[in-house]
Amino acid sequence: QVQLVESGGGSVQPGGSLRLSCKASGFSLNFYSMAWFRQAPGKEREGVSCISARAGKVWYVDSVKGRFTGSRADDENTVFLEMNKLKPEDTAVYYCAEAQCSDSDYPSWNPRTWGQGIQVTVSS
């Protein structure tokens, strides 16, 4: 059974950091691009970052550039999103997904298999 499970969310003050993890089971991440999305209350889900297979390239939306870093550990079948200098507007449910990472797919990235999502709250 193909499954993606996010972890590492929580509550943090503005300026703080969190590291999200997304562990895959039922398939090997080695050959797949993976993306992170988020959905804030009352807003549509949006792409945040996308990392190509074998981490050849990472894409970011403008709102997180310089603050978020995507990475992957294929030997652990896991991808990560390091989030620094967090802002209240980063508050959302974050999802990982198997997706298509490319310049032409930016920033929708055509997600397919989704994780269940994890809450990130940035508040003082």
Side-chain angles (χ1 to χ4, degrees):
Q1 181 182 0
V2 172
Q3 194 173 16
L4 296 170
V5 178
E6 299 94 341
S7 62
S11 296
V12 64
Q13 292 187 340
S17 300
L18 285 172
R19 188 191 196 208
L20 302 184
S21 300
C22 171
K23 186 166 181 64
S25 59
F27 74 105
S28 174
L29 285 181
N30 292 36
F31 305 106
Y32 293 93
S33 298
M34 298 294 294
W36 289 94
F37 294 80
R38 66 185 180 186
Q39 187 167 20
K43 294 187 177 181
E44 293 188 355
R45 187 150 45 187
E46 63 171 352
V48 175
S49 177
C50 202
I51 184 166
S52 65
R54 290 177 287 280
K57 187 172 179 179
V58 187
W59 288 257
Y60 303 97
V61 293
D62 288 345
S63 59
V64 307
K65 281 181 182 175
R67 301 188 299 121
F68 289 14
T69 303
S71 62
R72 60 192 297 154
D74 288 343
D75 57 338
E76 298 175 17
N77 226 29
T78 302
V79 294
F80 304 97
L81 185 67
E82 183 78 32
M83 305 186 294
N84 298 313
K85 300 178 182 178
L86 283 162
K87 304 175 181 179
E89 51 263 43
D90 294 317
T91 295
V93 177
Y94 284 71
Y95 302 85
C96 67
E98 188 264 311
Q100 294 176 273
C101 301
S102 71
D103 292 338
S104 60
D105 290 312
Y106 176 94
S108 62
W109 295 318
N110 301 311
R112 292 176 284 226
T113 304
W114 290 94
Q116 83 286 354
I118 193 161
Q119 179 69 45
V120 170
T121 302
V122 185
S123 174
S124 56

